[in-house]
Amino acid sequence: MVARPDGSVEVQAGVVEIGAGQITVLPMIAAEELGLPAERINIHHGDTDGTHYAPSSHASRITSEMGPAVLQAASLVAPPPLRAGGRAPRGLAPRPGRRGRAHPRARRAGARDVLHRGVRADAEPEIRATGSARPNPDDVIFRTFGAHGAEVEVDVETGELRVLRIVCSHDIGQPINPKLVESQQFGGAVMGLGYGLYEEAEMDRKTGVLLTPDVHQYRVPTALETP
């Protein structure tokens, strides 16, 4: 993470965005920890040059795995006048299990002024910090619970099936961005509908050639098939 004298901050994460919303969520975490408006947080992603190891982007795991690292880096970006002995004070230290809050002194002084004074004190053009997620403890098991229900209509003579309604509920804990969480639930439900009713990779048994190589033959749910 890089903080500059103009009060802007850049989050550098070696992850890619494939729809889970990390380019929105990670800057939100940094903004809240630093007490900065969201428009002052930029994110440089999709580039592993100069960044630490980052997990792959699947199963919506980036928020839970990269979020603590961003929170830690944001706490360490606080200028030296707000740190004691080179360590973040209690108000800026990342707290497991909850989102952080910016140090009250940083809020009163104003983010731009505080960052500017911190940069001048260091005689550096910018402040850099890095964070990492702690390994999962051996004595704790993390599980996420969810339940789905579907109302379907079946023609007993032809076997034709229509899905009329899908209801899903997940125990996810504290959502950083509720709208993104809801979108992920919708996307997962539609993907499950496709797996169960439409999608099938058909292979030629003699040649091993895939017979459904594109979305014309490999059918996925469209808006017409989605309840």
Side-chain angles (χ1 to χ4, degrees), residues 7 28 34 53 77 116 129 170 220:
M28 286 179 62
L34 292 170
Y53 169 81
V77 156
H116 183 65
H170 295 85
V220 297

Side-chain angles (χ1 to χ4, degrees), residues 84-175:
R87 299 180 61 186
R90 180 177 300 177
L92 280 173
R95 290 171 289 278
R98 59 177 296 182
R99 293 177 291 168
R101 293 181 179 178
H103 195 277
R105 290 166 60 188
R107 290 183 183 275
R108 287 199 300 268
R112 177 184 296 185
D113 294 338
V114 171
L115 287 174
H116 183 65
R117 290 202 304 271
V119 170
R120 290 182 61 188
D122 270 356
E124 296 287 344
E126 57 191 20
I127 302 174
R128 291 179 174 268
T130 184
S132 61
R134 298 178 180 178
N136 292 332
D138 296 330
D139 57 344
V140 178
I141 298 176
F142 297 95
R143 291 193 175 98
T144 300
F145 296 91
H148 285 236
E151 181 181 354
V152 300
E153 183 179 79
V154 181
D155 188 319
V156 296
E157 294 184 356
T158 64
E160 182 181 359
L161 183 146
R162 291 179 55 207
V163 179
L164 305 178
R165 185 165 63 118
I166 298 177
V167 178
C168 59
S169 177
H170 295 85
D171 180 10
I172 63 165
Q174 173 66 49

Side-chain angles (χ1 to χ4, degrees), residues 211-224:
L211 301 177
T212 52
D214 54 49
V215 292
H216 181 67
Q217 288 87 16
Y218 186 89
R219 303 302 300 274
V220 297
T222 69
L224 297 178

